Amino acid sequence: MSDPSEVYNHQTIKDVLDELERTAVSRIAAAESAEELEKLRLEFLGKKARLSLVLRSLGGVPPEERSGLGQRANLLRRSLEERLKEQSGKLSKVLKPRAFLDLTLPGTRPERGAVHPITRIIAQITDIFEKLNFEWVEGREVETAFYNFTALNIPEDHPSRDSFDTFFTKEGHLLRSQTSTVQIRVMEKRKPPLRIIAPGRVYRPDTVDASHSFMFHQIEGLMVDEKTTFSDLKGMIHVFLRALFGKKTKVRFRPHFFPFTEPSVEVDMSCFICDAKGCSVCGQKGWLEVMGAGSVDPNVFKAVGYDAKAVQGFAFGLGVERIAMLKYGITDIRLFYENDIRFLKQFQ
Ligand code: PHE
């Protein structure tokens, strides 16, 4: 069959279409299984099906007859495709009866998850601060160097930028490496008095191991008013840590450096496992480092357009994973991100 038009001239094409129209539809409707339907699909629509040959041989038909026949053949093709789909839908709805159904067998319990420990700790911490009149706010994870560094008194080329290892994009954006960005985002839009608590993800290019992850969570706190002293900060942190870890918790402040606070401190709390006597959790020190804090540096106020002489504030930042690991005795940070139900179940 070198030239199909020899076999399928205008009359034979008509005959083929007539016959298909008569038989194909009812044969599809009578099909009882998916295998049967597949056979019919090949027979009617496959490469070697007569309808396909017809369509291919249309070129040999005189132009004035071609368009009418072509249209009819295409319509038929589409309608057969429709019907095959419809019938296969019908067949899949028919349930095959099982040989034997034992209704007395116990059912399979669906697995139950639980609130993720990170979500849980964020809720506990923000609850405490909301009782102290702090308001939950959120910033963005994709930021610019202005919010992550410059406005936080970390000028370009200043070596302290290196202490906040950061992911940069080719377009000059970055993934925030600290939630302190939210301080700037809020102050730039609003005037004091302010009391905010800002939980969220931060990113640093760390190699993943039991205590490092390239993504983790921080909670940032900021309070600004006409008069907000360092002793306000101390008081709030005492209240907070005792609410979270128990009334016996002692708190200690060590001098430190952060570019955006002056003076700056690192906050330790007495180890709640050994009651400050020394154990494996606190590395025999009796103290656990839990957060960074300090009085807002006047340069930060200037960067957001505040009158640095007229306002005072404090800020603090803590790592959520660290607090969760301490509180629940978790020794590998990776467990938080693997979503292993055996791990998550323990926090129900
Ligand atoms: N942003 C600091 C960090 O990531 C923590 C911090 C926040 C310190 C606010 C002081 C004040 O280490």
Side-chain angles (χ1 to χ4, degrees), residues 271-289:
C271 179
F272 59 98
I273 305 278
C274 61
D275 205 6
K277 287 183 191 75
C279 68
S280 63
V281 171
C282 58
Q284 308 305 329
K285 289 190 220 102
W287 293 92
L288 298 163
E289 183 192 317

Side-chain angles (χ1 to χ4, degrees), residues 42 51 67 69 73 76 83 91 148 160 167 173 209 229 238 258 301 325 345 347:
L42 284 176
L51 187 53
S67 100
L69 279 179
L76 181 60
R83 276 161 210 271
L91 285 176
N148 203 73
S160 69
F167 286 113
H173 289 96
D209 62 22
T229 63
H238 265 103
F258 292 107
F301 286 142
M325 288 169 87
K345 245 189 203 159
F347 301 94

Side-chain angles (χ1 to χ4, degrees), residues 164 178 180 183 204 218 220 258 260-261 292-294 315-317:
F164 299 93
Q178 48 178 344
S180 300
Q183 294 183 34
R204 291 182 194 180
Q218 285 189 332
E220 190 82 8
F258 292 107
F260 28 87
T261 45
F316 59 84

Side-chain angles (χ1 to χ4, degrees), residues 116-186:
H116 194 283
I118 294 298
T119 312
R120 187 178 280 256
I121 289 285
I122 289 177
Q124 286 176 11
I125 295 178
T126 49
D127 273 359
I128 296 170
F129 280 101
E130 277 169 352
K131 289 197 182 105
L132 296 168
N133 259 332
F134 280 70
E135 171 196 350
W136 171 308
V137 294
E138 273 171 51
R140 335 178 159 189
E141 291 176 24
V142 178
E143 272 294 5
T144 63
F146 176 78
Y147 294 95
N148 203 73
F149 298 120
T150 317
L152 286 162
N153 196 31
I154 317 176
E156 217 166 313
D157 299 327
H158 194 276
S160 69
R161 272 199 194 200
D162 297 345
S163 61
F164 299 93
D165 250 356
T166 306
F167 286 113
F168 292 90
T169 71
K170 284 196 197 105
E171 297 77 27
H173 289 96
L174 53 80
L175 290 175
R176 68 176 176 198
S177 53
Q178 48 178 344
T179 43
S180 300
T181 51
V182 189
Q183 294 183 34
I184 306 301
R185 290 242 167 234
V186 170

